[in-house]
Amino acid sequence: MRIELNTPALLFPAISFLLLPYTNRYLALANLIRNLLAEHQNSPHQRLVQQINVLRRRITLIRLMQSFAVFAMLLSMISMLSIFEQWFGAGHALFFAALVSVIVSLALSLWEIQLSTEALNLQLELLEASP
């Protein structure tokens, strides 16, 4: 099967739509981390330390999610260039690698959502424990 020049271009809008919520999650986490830091400096609590550790893992995952999405975009562009130059084997391989990169990015997103739920549960436990 041969892919056309426009086939890798189909990933561009998908990747753009992925990067927007990834960036929004990153910005929301950055705000939350700043707020938790201020709260922790005022009154240290073990639950806050646990939540900060979860947030550290989440911020790392979001960075990886964004990296794999951007890498997929680059691979798609190089794939298009390869197809344009009629290097169809390289174009296919690069397009396949771009698809794998998007899949990895989505899998990391799922993992980050799981950690987000864990962080919310820690926050709820903290609220329950407060008088």
Side-chain angles (χ1 to χ4, degrees), residues 80-98:
M80 289 174 60
L81 181 63
S82 297
I83 294 167
F84 181 75
E85 291 295 325
Q86 298 184 355
W87 302 329
F88 297 110
H92 281 90
L94 289 164
F95 180 64
F96 178 78

Side-chain angles (χ1 to χ4, degrees), residues 18 22 68 72 96-110:
L18 284 178
Y22 289 176
F68 276 101
F96 178 78
L99 290 175
V100 170
S101 187
V102 170
I103 290 169
V104 170
S105 178
L106 290 170
L108 289 169
S109 177
L110 183 60

Side-chain angles (χ1 to χ4, degrees), residues 4 16 64-65 70 82 96 105 117:
E4 299 296 321
S16 296
L64 288 171
M65 290 160 37
V70 169
S82 297
F96 178 78
S105 178
T117 303

Side-chain angles (χ1 to χ4, degrees), residues 28-45 47-49 51-53 55-56 123 126:
L29 276 182
N31 254 349
L32 182 60
I33 289 169
R34 287 184 189 99
N35 292 340
L36 282 176
L37 178 62
E39 185 179 332
H40 182 66
Q41 288 173 339
N42 290 338
S43 63
H45 193 278
R47 294 275 187 218
L48 288 177
V49 172
Q51 189 162 8
I52 289 168
N53 290 333
L55 290 170
R56 182 175 286 118
Q123 189 70 27
L126 183 61

